[in-house]
Amino acid sequence: MTDPWVALTADVNPGARIGELYRAHEVFTSVGRLETPVRSVVGQSWRRSARARVSPDGAAPLELCADELGPYRDAHPLALVMPMIRELMSAYAVDGEHLLAVCDAHGRLMWVEGHARARRRAERMNFVEGARWAESETGTNAPGTALAVDRPVQVFAAEHFLRPVQQWTCAAAPLHDPHTGRVLGAVDITGGNGLAHPHSLAFVQAVARAAESQLALVAPRSAGGSAQLSTLGREEALLVLDGRKIRLSRRHSEILVTLALHPEGLAGDELLMEVYEDESVPPVTMRAELARLRRLLGPELLRSRPYRFGAQVDTDFDTIARRLESGAVAAALGAYAGPLLPRSQAPAVVRLRRRIAGQLRAALIARGDPGLLADWAYSPWGAEDLPVWRALAAAAPPERRAALLARARALDAEQRA
């Protein structure tokens, strides 16, 4: 195939292809061997699904009940572009007996709309608002896989990992924050096997690009010299200042994080102690870094005597704190892109990194939601988090508990060695 992300090309017989995929799926789920008809993107997704212990006969869990769903999606950034997405996709979905779906970055379906008969059929496989269709829960599917690989993808018939979903074909594309590049969710079109065409994938790609462009217009960066600092999951921070993206060095990233923690400002020697782990560093080194940083940012943003911000700076770690304080654990996890400046050893950064991660994981364990716990446990930063794996094993359905307990016991043995 010329495009590995497209399920079928014009010269492929859909019926014959479906038969090949059913046989390949049965071989993989029974003995773990990949057959040659399987596209590489699907084969890699099947392997991830198997590592996550997804059952081929399972179903998507419902994570957001009706009371939670409305407030959650109303506050989600993609709510701003849903009218435009509906305008572009609704007629296509209804006329073709398809479904339009939009999910968040963790695969939770926030909107499922379209043809009434298709919606009734989709309910039988729990393709409904509030259900989580991340790969770690439901295996290979277009919105979940698009999020996993961060690119548009089409999934055809028995390429789906769950058998109850193999009567469907879907195409999805990730949606990004136009200012930070962070994945916000995905837009999906789901229906019959007639969707297994390059045009359906091109269509959702175009809708995603249009939505991101619209989001940049309806949710612009704040005026008046405000700035946004992104630090989570990044080796070096990204500062967006009046629409201008500034990639900072690690030291400058550490300085800005420290100043964000102290809006009242810090004297030079106080800032030195918070940023440098080596106590022998002379004050002139800090002054030189601050001079370079001021040239980069301008004196309006970085003030002196004491060193402080001269305008509002919104940070992604403050977003986590606000959501945890309000009890919005799912929303806090959705905003957590990874540890804050993970390789930094600056004392202020190390304390903040531990505090954010500790507060979030404690909230997850206290909530006891298996889906949220799985999001953390199967992330790179949660892979060896023994308390979370134990909590996940305790909260998981009985059919998954044995495998999760085995993983927890193996971690415990490794960490004791």
Side-chain angles (χ1 to χ4, degrees):
M1 293 186 183
T2 57
D3 186 346
W5 304 95
V6 174
L8 293 180
T9 54
D11 59 338
V12 175
N13 181 285
R17 180 67 173 161
I18 289 173
E20 292 175 342
L21 290 170
Y22 272 122
R23 289 189 292 273
H25 184 271
E26 289 304 310
V27 169
F28 181 80
T29 54
S30 59
V31 299
R33 187 178 74 249
L34 274 175
E35 300 287 284
T36 51
V38 179
R39 291 183 291 151
S40 61
V41 62
V42 174
Q44 292 165 10
S45 177
W46 282 5
R47 288 193 178 101
R48 290 193 298 270
S49 305
R51 287 197 298 270
R53 308 285 186 177
V54 176
S55 168
D57 297 306
L62 189 67
E63 290 200 346
L64 295 172
C65 67
D67 290 343
E68 297 174 313
L69 178 63
Y72 179 74
R73 67 184 184 183
D74 287 348
H76 198 279
L78 294 179
L80 296 170
V81 293
M82 272 307 297
M84 190 214 68
I85 291 175
R86 288 191 185 99
E87 182 179 352
L88 293 174
M89 297 185 71
S90 288
Y92 179 81
V94 172
D95 293 347
E97 297 193 14
H98 307 318
L99 295 175
L100 148 68
V102 175
C103 67
D104 68 7
H106 287 277
R108 301 180 186 90
L109 299 179
M110 296 187 291
W111 292 273
V112 179
E113 303 172 3
H115 195 276
R117 184 162 51 246
R119 290 191 68 174
R120 288 194 296 272
R121 287 183 57 219
E123 288 173 2
R124 295 198 287 269
M125 64 176 182
N126 221 25
F127 194 80
V128 296
E129 293 172 346
R132 190 161 73 104
W133 281 76
E135 268 194 356
S136 60
E137 283 293 340
T138 54
T140 308
N141 68 91
T145 301
L147 292 174
V149 299
D150 193 16
R151 66 160 298 155
V153 65
Q154 193 175 64
V155 179
F156 169 63
E159 289 181 335
H160 288 94
F161 195 77
L162 297 189
R163 292 189 180 97
V165 191
Q166 292 177 346
Q167 301 300 314
W168 298 80
T169 290
C170 46
L175 292 160
H176 302 87
D177 184 313
H179 305 294
T180 67
R182 182 171 302 159
V183 174
L184 297 175
V187 59
D188 168 81
I189 190 79
T190 289
N193 292 339
L195 282 175
H197 191 283
H199 290 170
S200 68
L201 186 61
F203 178 54
V204 294
Q205 284 181 276
V207 171
R209 286 195 296 268
E212 290 169 352
S213 297
Q214 179 74 0
L215 194 59
L217 295 174
V218 299
R221 290 304 189 185
S222 301
S226 65
Q228 294 74 37
L229 184 66
S230 299
T231 61
L232 297 172
R234 308 180 65 95
E235 296 294 345
E236 297 175 338
L238 174 68
L239 181 72
V240 181
L241 179 62
D242 296 332
R244 181 169 60 105
K245 293 183 179 180
I246 304 172
R247 299 191 181 278
L248 302 161
S249 69
R250 184 179 299 177
R251 188 63 75 195
H252 288 170
S253 302
E254 294 164 344
I255 292 172
L256 292 195
V257 167
T258 304
L259 292 178
L261 291 172
H262 297 275
E264 74 284 0
L266 291 172
D269 57 345
E270 293 174 320
L271 188 57
L272 182 71
M273 293 177 61
E274 292 283 37
V275 170
Y276 287 93
E277 65 272 22
D278 183 354
E279 296 181 359
S280 65
V281 173
V284 67
T285 301
M286 174 58 75
R287 289 196 294 271
E289 289 288 1
L290 287 165
R292 285 190 287 269
L293 186 55
R294 179 173 289 178
R295 286 195 296 271
L296 182 64
L297 305 183
E300 296 81 11
L301 183 62
L302 183 58
R303 303 283 178 84
S304 60
R305 298 192 182 96
Y307 294 108
R308 66 199 187 280
F309 289 130
Q312 179 182 348
V313 175
D314 298 321
T315 69
D316 50 359
F317 52 83
D318 278 339
T319 298
I320 303 292
R322 286 194 301 269
R323 292 181 179 180
L324 287 177
E325 287 171 4
S326 67
V329 178
L333 182 60
Y336 187 76
L340 182 146
L341 303 180
R343 296 190 184 181
S344 171
Q345 294 302 311
V349 173
V350 171
R351 290 195 303 271
L352 179 60
R353 181 169 62 229
R354 290 173 179 168
R355 184 169 77 241
I356 294 168
Q359 290 174 343
L360 181 53
R361 65 196 290 277
L364 293 172
I365 292 171
R367 174 68 64 90
D369 184 303
L372 298 179
L373 288 165
D375 281 339
W376 184 276
Y378 287 106
S379 68
W381 53 86
E384 298 183 359
D385 194 329
L386 180 56
V388 170
W389 280 95
R390 285 174 172 162
L392 176 58
E399 64 270 18
R400 296 186 65 187
R401 197 163 295 153
L404 293 168
L405 285 171
R407 171 63 174 160
R409 284 193 292 269
L411 276 177
D412 190 23
E414 291 172 9
Q415 293 176 11
R416 288 174 181 270

